[in-house]
Amino acid sequence: MTSSLNPELKRPDVNETDLYPIVNTSLRQRYDRIAACWNSTAYEGTRRDDLIEELISIGQVEDHQMVLEAMCGTGILARGIRQRFPRVQMYVLDFSRGMLNMIPEGMVKVQASVIAMPFPDQVFHRVFLRSGIYDLPKRLQLKALYEMKRILTEKGVLILQTYYTTPTTKEALNNIVNIKDLASGQYEDMGREYPRYFALREELEAWLEETGFVVEPIRTFEGVIRYLKTQEMMKLGKELWMEYMNDLPQQIKEEIKLRSESDGNLTYNFPGIIYRLTPLHS
Ligand SMILES: C[S@@+](CC[C@H](N)C(=O)[O-])C[C@H]1O[C@@H](n2cnc3c(N)ncnc32)[C@H](O)[C@@H]1O
């Protein structure tokens, strides 16, 4: 196709997926809304604060280092780092102002998207990212990984804690989260893929290698998800979500350990993993 102004000038080919947003505004608003509850017991099975000691230890943090917690939420991990190492230069980054407002003073708070962080190249000795990379659609996760590698020093370390799917659970686990988002009015169309995307472990590790990290899986764990307890869904949304959960094939129910608890919660487990990632030098 040619331009009507200059017939010689070729129009660039625009891929229709390029036209989708790069910031999930509905999700950002959701985090603003739930910021004051994020530290509550409703989300403790997702956060898994019991792993924080281990994250800090495998990160081999030292005083005077430049340390970033990306997608920090209320900065629980950053606070843990600062308690143990009072002289680190602690930065916390999140796109939700509500979340950043929950963080005590004494750290540098940055409101930005993890796919375009306002930092120069190679400035951070350590970057931590806990429970967050899956909040991006598939096409942006690789971009976020490149961005984190860009800001790490040559000998820097990225500690990544995340949830992943298996070939059997991939569709169901992605649907459970995205139907919940739809049911609570926090879903935004980010393109052909899920707005929030939980990759297969193999897929995630292929991206980490493509980004240029030496990939060291440290340990797996299980998140315990209790959406009903979070009270994010209204009545009709809750019914639609419950219907989806109850209709899941038995094999999936067993793999995600779907169960009703005595307090009325419909709980399931999500497989998680912690990686220690160091930039590969050619
Ligand atoms: C599941 S919460 C986890 C918070 C924290 N890492 C923790 O484990 O307690 C995900 C966080 O990522 C933030 N987030 C989501 N998408 C983001 C993006 N594109 N850029 C920056 N922050 C984002 C949300 O605002 C939220 O605070």
Side-chain angles (χ1 to χ4, degrees):
M1 201 184 293
T2 51
S3 157
S4 55
L5 289 175
N6 178 355
E8 298 303 310
L9 203 65
K10 271 198 158 180
R11 275 206 188 148
D13 285 334
V14 178
N15 182 337
E16 67 178 279
T17 56
D18 293 345
L19 300 175
Y20 282 99
I22 55 169
V23 170
N24 188 334
T25 310
S26 305
L27 189 65
R28 183 162 58 73
Q29 287 165 348
R30 175 232 180 182
Y31 281 117
D32 283 340
R33 271 196 306 275
I34 68 168
C37 311
W38 179 251
N39 295 1
S40 73
T41 53
Y43 295 98
E44 71 186 351
T46 309
R47 296 196 316 268
R48 291 293 313 262
D49 294 343
D50 53 306
L51 299 172
I52 284 183
E53 262 327 310
E54 199 172 337
L55 294 178
I56 298 175
S57 139
I58 57 176
Q60 295 173 317
V61 177
E62 289 170 22
D63 267 325
H64 305 292
Q65 284 177 335
M66 288 275 289
V67 181
L68 170 71
E69 184 184 2
M71 307 180 91
C72 62
T74 54
I76 302 173
L77 170 58
R79 293 181 218 195
I81 296 172
R82 271 300 289 273
Q83 257 169 19
R84 286 158 195 77
F85 301 96
R87 281 181 285 279
V88 293
Q89 298 187 51
M90 193 73 231
Y91 285 67
V92 283
L93 177 141
D94 202 284
F95 73 177
S96 155
R97 169 126 326 239
M99 285 289 191
L100 290 171
N101 284 343
M102 301 298 296
I103 302 178
E105 297 307 314
M107 308 186 203
V108 183
K109 300 184 194 183
V110 180
Q111 185 183 19
S113 174
V114 70
I115 61 165
M117 295 189 274
F119 304 122
D121 294 353
Q122 302 198 339
V123 281
F124 286 100
H125 300 102
R126 299 291 180 267
V127 175
F128 289 83
L129 200 166
R130 175 177 94 134
S131 303
I133 192 84
Y134 51 76
D135 269 352
L136 298 164
K138 189 173 177 178
R139 81 201 131 95
L140 295 181
Q141 293 188 20
L142 190 59
K143 200 171 170 53
L145 294 173
Y146 272 115
E147 187 62 352
M148 282 183 285
K149 175 149 180 281
R150 179 187 70 75
I151 61 169
L152 270 180
T153 59
E154 260 187 47
K155 292 191 174 152
V157 181
L158 166 63
I159 302 294
L160 179 71
Q161 173 179 325
T162 190
Y163 291 109
Y164 65 92
T165 54
T166 67
T168 328
T169 61
K170 178 174 159 170
E171 195 187 333
L173 284 174
N174 275 290
N175 281 343
I176 290 171
V177 172
N178 284 286
I179 290 173
K180 188 273 292 176
D181 283 354
L182 266 169
S184 46
Q186 55 201 35
Y187 182 95
E188 185 155 331
D189 184 1
M190 296 292 286
R192 277 177 233 151
E193 71 262 352
Y194 296 105
R196 300 213 265 159
Y197 179 67
F198 295 84
L200 292 169
R201 181 169 165 181
E202 304 78 53
E203 202 175 20
L204 180 62
E205 291 181 5
W207 292 337
L208 290 169
E209 276 164 20
E210 186 178 339
T211 312
F213 281 116
V214 178
V215 181
E216 230 183 304
I218 302 290
R219 64 167 286 177
T220 54
F221 65 94
E222 290 206 320
V224 180
I225 318 296
R226 296 193 169 91
Y227 276 147
L228 296 183
K229 198 169 177 186
T230 68
Q231 299 186 331
E232 288 185 41
M233 290 178 271
M234 303 302 279
K235 191 169 177 293
L236 177 62
K238 205 184 284 181
E239 281 166 16
L240 291 171
W241 185 79
M242 294 279 279
E243 200 178 305
Y244 181 78
M245 298 304 275
N246 289 325
D247 288 349
L248 283 171
Q250 192 54 31
Q251 188 197 0
I252 307 270
K253 285 183 178 168
E254 281 166 22
E255 196 162 328
I256 66 172
K257 303 192 179 89
L258 183 65
R259 59 217 182 257
S260 299
E261 297 194 23
S262 52
D263 60 2
N265 262 296
L266 201 54
T267 299
Y268 68 98
N269 286 14
F270 216 130
I273 186 157
I274 296 174
Y275 293 102
R276 186 174 193 277
L277 303 157
T278 42
L280 181 69
H281 301 293
S282 45

